[in-house]
Amino acid sequence: MKRREFINWVGLGFLASSLPVALAACSAETTTTASSTSGGATQNWQKVGTVAELDKTGQLLVPDSPVGAVLVVGTSKAAQNLIAVNPTCTHKGCTVEWKTDKNKFVCPCHDAEFALDGKVQKSPAEKPLRTYLTKIESGSIFVTTT
């Protein structure tokens, strides 16, 4: 085997062995803080805040949680009625706001409106907001994708 062929084989072997590392580095990172099983499926719950933070104003905005942006609405006294959505408007990407008096999410940029379940009630948005399941454990608020 000539030296040039040997170097080519070594280089190819190096590239092939680096591929799994490169793929792992490019994959999405998730941090599991709690998990539960429901119907045989495992759910990855992510902590987004505390009950104290939520109860201050009745809403908790977390722009950079492990599952993405999350807006939780409600209080710990009515934990079964907590609502959690991705607050990024599906029209142009503005952050929607919770309007207690209207009982809906409203986009301040173009006045799109969304129901409690994230469905569009008023255009210009056409796609619903992403929603999350919520739970409270040990004074912390957790969400998981639906």
Side-chain angles (χ1 to χ4, degrees):
M1 179 180 282
K2 294 179 182 175
R3 185 166 74 190
R4 182 177 299 252
E5 289 175 2
F6 176 75
I7 291 173
N8 285 340
W9 279 106
V10 169
L12 183 61
F14 175 75
L15 287 174
S17 65
S18 300
L19 185 62
V21 174
L23 291 175
C26 293
S27 67
E29 180 181 334
T30 59
T31 306
T32 303
T33 54
S35 54
S36 68
T37 55
S38 174
T42 300
Q43 295 175 330
N44 292 324
W45 293 90
Q46 305 294 330
K47 180 179 176 181
V48 293
T50 65
V51 168
E53 293 169 321
L54 177 65
D55 287 344
K56 276 184 194 176
T57 61
Q59 52 186 299
L60 174 64
L61 177 62
V62 184
D64 57 354
S65 82
V67 293
V70 176
L71 174 58
V72 181
V73 177
T75 65
S76 62
K77 294 175 182 141
Q80 69 278 6
N81 295 329
L82 287 181
I83 301 163
V85 299
N86 181 319
T88 306
C89 182
T90 57
H91 175 239
K92 292 287 184 182
C94 296
T95 301
V96 300
E97 300 169 349
W98 172 249
K99 299 294 183 179
T100 306
D101 57 330
K102 294 182 177 185
N103 208 33
K104 61 179 77 174
F105 299 97
V106 178
C107 179
C109 297
H110 301 102
D111 295 323
E113 295 180 358
F114 301 87
L116 297 173
D117 61 0
K119 291 184 181 169
V120 177
Q121 289 188 322
K122 181 181 170 194
S123 60
E126 295 178 358
K127 296 180 182 177
L129 298 174
R130 183 175 184 183
T131 59
Y132 302 98
L133 298 175
T134 60
K135 73 176 180 176
I136 294 176
E137 277 185 7
S138 304
S140 296
I141 300 168
F142 293 89
V143 298
T144 189
T145 55
T146 56

